Structure formats: structure tokens, C-alpha cells
Amino acid sequence: MTSKGPHAFGIAGLLCYTVAMPELPDLEVIKEFLQDHIVGQEIAEVEVVRPIVVRNLAGGDFTTRLTGQRVKQVSRRGKFLILALDPGDYLVINPMLAGRLHYAPRGERRLRKTFAVLHLADGMDLRYTDTRTMGKVYLTDDLAKVPGLAELGPEALDPALTLDVFRERLRRYRGEIKGILTTQSFAAGIGNAYADEICWRAGVYPFRKRPKLSDEEIERLYQAMREVLSEAVVTLREQVGADIHVEIRDFLKVHGRGGQPCPRCGTTISEIKARQRLTNFCRQCQPGSLITGGV
Ligand SMILES: [Zn+2]
């Protein structure tokens, strides 16, 4: 039985720090689902409920321009989903903190905060919901126009991002390792939750400054990054199904598990709010101190 995490219907404001941001594994599985279900479909009608979530970088009227285009391909780049359209535009979705896609028959009840709807020719809807109104849906004729897309570093799971390349890229940064892992220009796709998982798997304190990391710790971080993300894709692929609006996080080892025992050593998992976000880690497996005394 699939169990869904508690974050799926997060109430804006109240669950400020528990709303889970879609990251590489979540979006990779959503991409695969959409490839199977909407490629070839014509966008028969477009409804924009909250214009603030859409940005038209292509010119003309958003709705008019999008209507009648056909979905040619679905791809993912970092935390962006890209729908290539025929005759030639792109619809780019950047969910940020709380954006979700909901795939449902046209007559099915909408989720709260459904702000934009593509009615597909086969009677299905692709809906964009966003409890925080921070994400964006861009219509563009040129991907280079989409803010943040061109600046992305290599995909975190790209085979070309070898250990040597990872090490080399890390040298450009002097901050805390968790902050670097979530910097999209360093490597694309990792957010708050999976950065915690990677640091825990590597046994590295998330607030360690990069210059303090040993070669061996960097190698452990690299291996942990590849394992955590690729394992999550496999797990989510089995669990998500058509419920692409539901974020499943119950298989994570430390993130969102403050106060519970560490699965490796049994120590109570720490939870601290730092840098405007929640971080979970094990003080036993990931020793370190927040007071670093500078770089
Ligand atoms: Zn532990």
C-alpha cells in the first residue's frame, strides 16, 4: 500500500516550513508520466485563474497564443519542467516551493489554489496549483529568456558530472556544503530535502564550510548525491502513478524526521531552522558545530 506523505496538501502559512519543494527526483518522475500521457495532445483551451503565475515571454496574448498548440515533448532541466510545443513555443514550469501539477479529467473537482488549466483535446486537464503563489509558468519562444534556466549547472545525475568535475566545481565555493549543494548553478536539481539526505548519507555536517572538507569527505558527498537521487527516482517511479500532484517523502531517512531516531545509529535526529529553512541531521553521524569562526 502506498502511503502518501503529510505534505501534499500543505496549508500556506501554517505549514510554512513543511511544504516540500519538488526536486530532481519528484520532477523526473512527473516528466516521465507526462511523456506517457500528454505528448501528442493538443491544448484545446486555456484558463488562467490567477494571471500572476503565468509569464508570457513570447509576445501576444498568453491564452490565444497557447491555444491550439500541441505537446511535442516533455523534458526536465534542474527543477524546471519543459513542454516543447508544436509549432514552436515552450511552456516552462518552475514550481519553486509549492507549485504542483494535477492531471485529472476535465470534470473532476479542482484542488484549491488551481491557478492555470490546460484543457487537452482528449478530455484531460493539466492544472497548475500553487499554495504559495511563488512558482511560475512561462510561455516562451526561446528557452534562454526563462529566468534561471540558462544559469543552471550540470544535472546532478549527469554522467558527465564525474567526481573530478564535482571536486573542481566545488572549489569555486567557500560556503556551507548544504548551501552549495542547493545552489542550482553548482549542480541542478537538489533542494532542501535531498541536500539533507545527501549530507546524512555522506556523514557530513550540513553546515561545514567547503574549505574544511577533506578529499575523502568530498568523495563521500559525491557518491551520496548520486545514490540518494537515483534511488529516490526508482522509489518514486513505483509510488507516484497518476497522482503527480502528491509529493511522497515518507521514505526519506532524516529530512522531515526531527525528533525520531536516526536509522543508522538511533540518536535523535536534530532539527534546526537556519538560513530560512529547516535542516535535519544526526549529531552522531554528522558531527560539527554551527559556530565555525569564519572560513
Ligand atoms: Zn546517526
Side-chain angles (χ1 to χ4, degrees):
M1 184 69 196
T2 299
S3 98
K4 311 287 186 191
H7 310 302
F9 304 105
I11 301 158
L14 281 178
L15 298 177
C16 180
Y17 288 99
T18 60
V19 170
M21 173 196 285
E23 302 183 29
L24 184 156
D26 310 291
L27 292 171
E28 182 65 18
V29 171
I30 293 170
K31 176 203 81 179
E32 291 174 0
F33 177 85
L34 293 178
Q35 275 175 340
D36 289 345
H37 289 83
I38 71 166
V39 168
Q41 283 300 312
E42 185 194 328
I43 299 166
E45 202 184 328
V46 178
E47 230 182 292
V48 177
V49 182
R50 255 327 261 287
I52 193 170
V53 302
V54 302
R55 286 278 187 282
N56 184 3
L57 310 173
D61 175 68
F62 181 89
T63 302
T64 310
R65 186 168 177 127
L66 190 51
T67 304
Q69 297 211 47
R70 193 176 292 275
V71 181
K72 199 163 60 179
Q73 198 196 356
V74 184
S75 59
R76 179 192 60 75
R77 181 76 176 96
K79 296 189 274 183
F80 293 77
L81 272 180
I82 303 168
L83 275 55
L85 305 173
D86 187 9
D89 285 344
Y90 298 91
L91 200 65
V92 180
I93 298 140
N94 180 12
M96 296 290 287
L97 196 57
R100 298 284 183 276
L101 289 173
H102 184 205
Y103 180 74
R106 185 164 181 161
E108 190 173 303
R109 198 169 63 88
R110 292 182 183 183
L111 299 175
R112 58 191 293 276
K113 309 279 185 185
T114 292
F115 292 152
V117 181
L118 306 182
H119 298 296
L120 304 173
D122 65 354
M124 296 299 288
D125 280 354
L126 186 62
R127 305 171 182 166
Y128 179 77
T129 79
D130 196 338
T131 54
R132 307 293 297 277
T133 327
M134 286 169 67
K136 286 281 173 288
V137 178
Y138 299 96
L139 178 62
T140 185
D141 53 354
D142 178 1
L143 289 175
K145 292 181 184 172
V146 177
L149 196 54
E151 296 82 42
L152 293 178
E155 286 291 318
L157 284 179
D158 187 339
L161 181 58
T162 60
L163 173 60
D164 286 345
V165 174
F166 182 82
R167 216 186 274 286
E168 186 58 39
R169 293 184 70 81
L170 267 183
R171 291 204 180 95
R172 306 173 193 180
Y173 301 86
R174 303 189 65 79
E176 296 162 352
I177 186 60
K178 178 175 178 181
I180 299 170
L181 289 172
T182 56
T183 298
Q184 299 304 295
S185 52
F186 168 68
I190 302 166
N192 196 37
Y194 286 100
D196 280 359
E197 295 296 296
I198 291 166
C199 290
W200 178 80
R201 173 116 27 149
V204 171
Y205 182 65
F207 303 108
R208 284 278 298 285
K209 296 281 180 82
R210 194 279 301 161
K212 305 279 187 195
L213 294 170
S214 68
D215 282 354
E216 200 257 331
E217 284 171 319
I218 291 172
E219 183 168 351
R220 291 209 311 264
L221 282 162
Y222 175 79
Q223 295 300 346
M225 175 183 79
R226 303 307 273 253
E227 289 171 17
V228 162
L229 296 175
S230 50
E231 288 172 17
V233 170
V234 171
T235 302
L236 292 171
R237 206 176 267 149
E238 289 167 357
Q239 295 193 12
V240 172
D243 292 335
I244 58 173
H245 57 289
V246 178
E247 203 152 61
I248 299 170
R249 289 279 158 90
D250 55 3
F251 62 93
L252 298 186
K253 301 287 199 293
V254 285
H255 188 78
R257 299 201 175 279
Q260 298 177 31
C262 167
R264 190 159 44 206
C265 74
T267 301
T268 302
I269 294 168
S270 298
E271 176 162 294
I272 60 171
K273 200 179 108 184
R275 320 289 181 255
Q276 303 302 312
R277 56 189 179 181
L278 210 60
T279 292
N280 295 112
F281 62 100
C282 171
R283 290 188 186 279
Q284 181 69 31
C285 297
Q286 300 163 266
S289 163
L290 247 190
I291 303 152
T292 58
V295 175

